[in-house]
Amino acid sequence: MVPAMASAQTSGETFSGPYIGVQGGWNQGQDEDVLTGPGRTGAKKSGVVVRGVAGYGHAIGEHVVIGAEAGIATGGRDISTVNGTSQYITNPGITLDAVARLGVKPIDNVMLFGKAGWAFQRIETTLITPSQRLTDKSSEHGFLFGGGVEVGVTPNVALRAEFDRVSFNDNYARNRALAGVSLRF
């Protein structure tokens, strides 16, 4: 079966052209140094994420692919940090990203890639103390970086797995591990 997958694609065209895809996986949001002190609890929350993606890849020779990709994903679960009688809640909303990708193909139907670019996330934060409740909505921007692997199953279908990280501000960061499928046309 593996030789059939490899021979179904020409080496210069694998992972080239426009594509769309869907991914799902693990998302972990982290609040760092929001409330400090010995009574602080809870600064991370993990959950499920779903991401849609569209991009373009261009082969340079037989073993290198460069490209760009844009994605939209769910935000993740609320993160609650508690210190004594104060609570700080981060509610991450929808997230967008635009990245450049650089891939290396050790064999025709496998590409290892790195990616880096911009990420945006809408975040609502709430500070609750015994005397008040303050809520703020903000648009956070950050530098996203990561990498992964794609495996061509047919000339138009690839399975992919990847990890990425982004720090949105001094307090909030996100890690994601995703797997999915891409359709090239």
Side-chain angles (χ1 to χ4, degrees):
M1 177 93 178
V2 174
M5 286 175 25
S7 67
Q9 304 171 22
T10 61
S11 63
E13 296 175 0
T14 309
F15 306 111
S16 290
Y19 61 91
I20 58 172
V22 64
Q23 298 173 291
W26 169 82
N27 183 84
Q28 179 189 62
Q30 302 173 325
D31 273 335
E32 300 169 352
D33 302 325
V34 176
L35 298 173
T36 59
R40 181 182 133 177
T41 62
K44 297 178 183 180
K45 187 67 85 165
S46 296
V48 175
V49 64
V50 177
R51 179 176 184 248
V53 62
Y56 187 85
H58 177 74
I60 299 177
E62 292 186 16
H63 300 289
V64 176
V65 178
I66 61 170
E69 182 175 280
I72 183 169
T74 55
R77 295 178 60 194
D78 289 2
I79 305 162
S80 179
T81 304
V82 177
N83 187 0
T85 58
S86 297
Q87 182 179 17
Y88 184 86
I89 301 167
T90 301
N91 178 2
I94 199 103
T95 181
L96 306 172
D97 60 76
V99 298
R101 294 188 350 148
L102 175 62
V104 176
K105 298 183 337 183
I107 59 176
D108 282 347
N109 64 325
V110 175
M111 179 176 68
L112 306 173
F113 66 89
K115 65 180 188 173
W118 165 86
F120 163 88
Q121 189 155 27
R122 187 78 172 145
I123 297 174
E124 180 181 275
T125 55
T126 304
L127 176 62
I128 303 170
T129 67
S131 61
Q132 62 184 345
R133 179 185 183 102
L134 303 170
T135 300
D136 181 48
K137 292 183 180 180
S138 62
S139 298
E140 300 292 337
H141 304 268
F143 177 72
L144 181 146
F145 62 94
V149 62
E150 281 194 54
V151 177
V153 179
T154 72
N156 296 50
V157 177
L159 300 177
R160 61 192 280 179
E162 63 186 87
F163 176 84
D164 65 41
R165 177 169 174 84
V166 61
S167 292
F168 285 104
N169 58 35
D170 294 337
N171 299 323
Y172 180 67
R174 182 195 69 218
N175 297 309
R176 291 189 306 199
L178 302 164
V181 62
S182 295
L183 304 173
R184 285 189 162 64
F185 46 95

